[in-house]
Every structure is written in C-alpha cells, then in structure tokens.
C-alpha cells in the first residue's frame, strides 16, 4: 500500500520544517509520498490538486502548521481505515501545543472545531476537521 500526504501551503514562505521532521520520523509499513501544494486558494482547491497528483491509495491531508503527536501517527490514521471499510474518513484530534501564544489559545477557545479532544476509541462526529485527516483516494475522488 502507498499513502500520499498532501500539504496545502498558502505560499512558499510557509515554514513546514517541523511537520517535515515529524513525517521523517514516522514508523509505518507502507510507502509514503509527500505532496506540497503551494499558492493555491482556497485550501479545498489545493487539496483537490494534491489528490489528482497522488499515487497512493490513501490520502492524508495535513495543514502546514500541524505537528504530529508521535512516530506512529500516520500508521494509526491509516490503520483505522484498514480495519473498518465502513469508515469513510478519519480525522485526528487537534490539540493546542504547549507554548502557544495567547492569541492561539484564545482562538482555540472561541472558534468551533479549532481543537478537538484526544480520544482512546473511534467515535462518530458531526463535523470532522480537515486539518489532519485520511481518506481512501477512491472515496475522495
């Protein structure tokens, strides 16, 4: 199996070094390609362009400012899709990192879906965050 990680970036100046470091540390039993889409707006169009270029059977969309929680992050996302074909897409919990600015903490409190709790079990949600999610390419297209 191959997985395509699609990273929409507003512009070339977007600093994705932290995300790239996290991706390099991932432990997974599948091949991973990384597709950076720059300067395309809105972000949904950037994701669509990335999906068209993707060679993987699974697409993982990650916003450029996301950091991954551990070295099994991608494997865990993909594993949920592999274990249950009834699941259309899976999204990750979004936590505000330690050391966030006052503005970032306030934004997370005020804006719905800016953060979501970490959970131990798969659960249905009414609104899934697209900031970090996985879906089979065939279903996405």
């Amino acid at each position: 199996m191959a997985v395509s990680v699609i990273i929409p970036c507003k512009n070339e100046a977007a600093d994705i070094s932290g995300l790239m470091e996290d991706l390099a540390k991932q432990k997974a039993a599948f091949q991973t390609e990384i597709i950076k889409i720059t300067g395309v707006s809105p972000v949904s169009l950037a994701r669509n362009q990335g999906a068209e270029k993707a060679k993987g059977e699974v697409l993982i969309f990650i916003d450029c400012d996301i950091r991954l929680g551990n070295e099994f992050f991608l494997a865990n996302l993909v594993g949920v899709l592999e274990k249950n074909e009834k699941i259309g897409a899976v999204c990750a919990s979004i936590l505000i990192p330690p050391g966030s600015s006052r503005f970032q903490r306030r934004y997370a409190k005020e804006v719905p879906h800016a953060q979501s709790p970490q959970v131990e079990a798969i659960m249905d949600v009414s609104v899934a965050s697209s900031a970090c999610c996985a879906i089979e390419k065939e279903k996405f297209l």
Side-chain angles (χ1 to χ4, degrees), residues 3-4 6 50-51 54 56-61 133-137 140:
V3 172
S4 299
I6 300 165
E57 294 96 329
V58 173
L59 307 176
I60 298 179
F61 299 104
C133 64
I135 185 169
E136 291 176 15
K137 182 177 181 180
F140 181 82

Side-chain angles (χ1 to χ4, degrees), residues 9-16 36 38:
C9 297
K10 196 172 201 172
N11 55 49
E12 281 293 333
D15 181 10
I16 64 168
K36 180 181 173 186
T38 304

Side-chain angles (χ1 to χ4, degrees), residues 42-53:
V43 72
S44 58
L45 181 57
R47 290 183 181 126
N48 288 344
Q49 286 184 10
E52 289 172 8
K53 293 179 180 184

Side-chain angles (χ1 to χ4, degrees), residues 15-16 31 33 40 79 91 93 111 116 126 131:
D15 181 10
I16 64 168
Q31 291 183 322
E33 75 169 331
V40 177
C91 61
S93 298
V111 176
S116 57
S126 58

Side-chain angles (χ1 to χ4, degrees), residues 12-76:
E12 281 293 333
D15 181 10
I16 64 168
S17 59
L19 174 57
M20 295 304 289
E21 287 173 21
D22 291 350
L23 288 169
K25 295 175 186 173
Q26 292 299 295
K27 295 182 179 176
F30 47 77
Q31 291 183 322
T32 305
E33 75 169 331
I34 298 174
I35 302 169
K36 180 181 173 186
I37 303 294
T38 304
V40 177
S41 187
V43 72
S44 58
L45 181 57
R47 290 183 181 126
N48 288 344
Q49 286 184 10
E52 289 172 8
K53 293 179 180 184
K55 294 180 179 87
E57 294 96 329
V58 173
L59 307 176
I60 298 179
F61 299 104
I62 304 178
D63 287 357
C64 65
D65 60 347
I66 297 288
R67 296 298 306 266
L68 307 181
N70 62 57
E71 59 196 14
F72 299 102
F73 188 88
L74 296 182
N76 289 339

